[in-house]
Amino acid sequence: MKFSKDFKNQIICGSAVDVMKEIPGGSVHLVITSPPYNLKNSTGNGMKDGRGGKWANAALQKGYSNHDDCMPHDEYVKWQRECLIEMMRIIPENGAIFYNHKWRVQGGLLQDRQDIVSGFPVRQVIIWRRKGGFNFNPGYFVPTYEVIYLIAKPKFKLSPKASGHGDVWEFTQEMNNEHPAAFPVDLIDRIVSSTSAEIILDPFMGSGTTALSAINFKRDYIGIDISPEYCEMARKRIKQHQAQVKLW
Ligand SMILES: C[S@@+](CC[C@H](N)C(=O)[O-])C[C@H]1O[C@@H](n2cnc3c(N)ncnc32)[C@H](O)[C@@H]1O
């Protein structure tokens, strides 16, 4: 598939790395994404072996529709680094990547994702503090934060006044979405409105949240997801959103 006008404002069903390889260097101004976190490859609980255990009620207990979220750790890190290499190639000298991830404790050690992002130009770590949260285990405080790495090329600048948002952002998690791990639109609105990017890519588009935000600010989007089901979900959601926006 060659990059053409058809690529813009489309949801493409395929593997993130394969599809990104078809996108010419420097042609996408901003990447906003949340990859699968490899959550089911966790130390010693039912999330890994499917029994559920303390995670029995978690939305991601069964993984995603076309991805089980349970890769050997080294393989997962290698894959995510390949994804970041493609994202870096695609953005121009004033481009940036907002890469959402989660830190966790594994086997008593902090898994801070340094193995994924090391060597990439991480400029800042933003804390996304969720309002409230779910607790599946009485032995733990409710987990309420995730991180967003701002990985930026040298000429990337924020829009005027955006720096005033600070580096701890509070947004309620998405509640009304059939996708098990959707972004809240407000969070992505904050990112999109903080930049002047014209074309925005989400290589793990899921239910289409990044596209909705792009539409809110009259920017173009490109979405990729491996799951035909989520691609359809995203297309439907985008269509409904566009109809709503026209009414405003
Ligand atoms: C954390 S979710 C993204 C959710 C999205 N931010 C939203 O708001 O709906 C990760 C997504 O990555 C997709 N995925 C898993 N493996 C993939 C691959 N190799 N290439 C592209 N997408 C993949 C899953 O289907 C899932 O929808």
Side-chain angles (χ1 to χ4, degrees):
M1 193 188 302
K2 291 277 167 268
F3 185 73
S4 66
K5 279 187 184 157
D6 295 334
F7 239 72
K8 260 201 277 176
N9 301 318
Q10 298 295 323
I11 300 294
I12 298 139
C13 193
S15 163
V17 175
D18 292 349
V19 179
M20 283 194 284
K21 280 189 193 299
E22 302 294 331
I23 300 179
S27 61
V28 161
H29 308 112
L30 182 69
V31 180
I32 304 174
T33 203
S34 176
Y37 293 163
N38 214 25
L39 275 185
K40 291 192 73 180
N41 183 339
S42 56
T43 46
N45 62 50
M47 188 79 167
K48 181 164 184 158
D49 65 18
R51 281 177 296 120
K54 71 178 183 182
W55 301 107
N57 297 315
L60 274 170
Q61 213 278 322
K62 295 195 182 80
Y64 297 100
S65 73
N66 285 63
H67 178 81
D68 67 5
D69 216 18
C70 191
M71 293 166 90
H73 180 75
D74 291 351
E75 205 179 294
Y76 174 71
V77 170
K78 188 168 169 276
W79 174 46
Q80 283 306 302
R81 290 182 64 81
E82 278 166 15
C83 291
L84 284 172
I85 287 168
E86 281 309 309
M87 296 179 213
M88 286 297 289
R89 184 186 62 75
I90 286 170
I91 59 170
E93 279 306 291
N94 61 353
I97 302 165
F98 285 77
Y99 180 76
N100 169 220
H101 219 302
K102 202 171 195 167
W103 292 346
R104 63 179 179 177
V105 174
Q106 285 278 276
L109 294 172
L110 177 61
Q111 199 174 69
D112 61 1
R113 313 299 175 174
Q114 178 65 15
D115 44 7
I116 296 177
V117 300
S118 85
F120 293 98
V122 176
R123 193 180 279 189
Q124 194 163 24
V125 176
I126 296 158
I127 304 293
W128 165 25
R129 192 199 188 291
R130 296 189 299 242
K131 281 189 196 147
F134 303 108
N135 199 5
F136 301 114
N137 189 324
Y140 290 76
F141 294 103
V142 180
T144 58
Y145 79 93
E146 299 195 13
V147 296
I148 302 171
Y149 293 92
L150 166 55
I151 301 171
K153 288 215 177 157
K155 292 187 180 159
F156 172 74
K157 280 204 177 62
L158 295 171
S159 304
K161 297 190 183 158
S163 85
H165 291 309
D167 57 2
V168 180
W169 298 357
E170 192 163 284
F171 291 102
T172 308
Q173 66 262 45
E174 178 61 43
M175 304 286 200
N176 297 313
N177 196 314
E178 285 170 35
H179 190 285
F183 282 141
V185 182
D186 290 353
L187 173 71
I188 310 307
D189 279 354
R190 163 76 56 91
I191 298 174
V192 173
S193 65
S194 295
T195 80
S196 55
E198 288 164 26
I199 305 181
I200 302 167
L201 167 74
D202 188 341
F204 297 99
M205 181 62 103
S207 62
T209 313
T210 301
L212 261 58
S213 231
I215 292 164
N216 286 344
F217 295 93
K218 299 191 169 49
R219 318 287 174 88
D220 291 314
Y221 64 85
I222 299 172
I224 305 168
D225 203 282
I226 194 95
S227 157
E229 187 189 319
Y230 300 152
C231 287
E232 225 14 72
M233 194 187 276
R235 289 186 192 112
K236 212 168 139 192
R237 201 167 162 227
I238 290 165
K239 213 168 163 187
Q240 282 169 352
H241 189 67
Q242 277 165 331
Q244 260 178 353
V245 170
K246 271 190 196 145
L247 293 177
W248 295 341

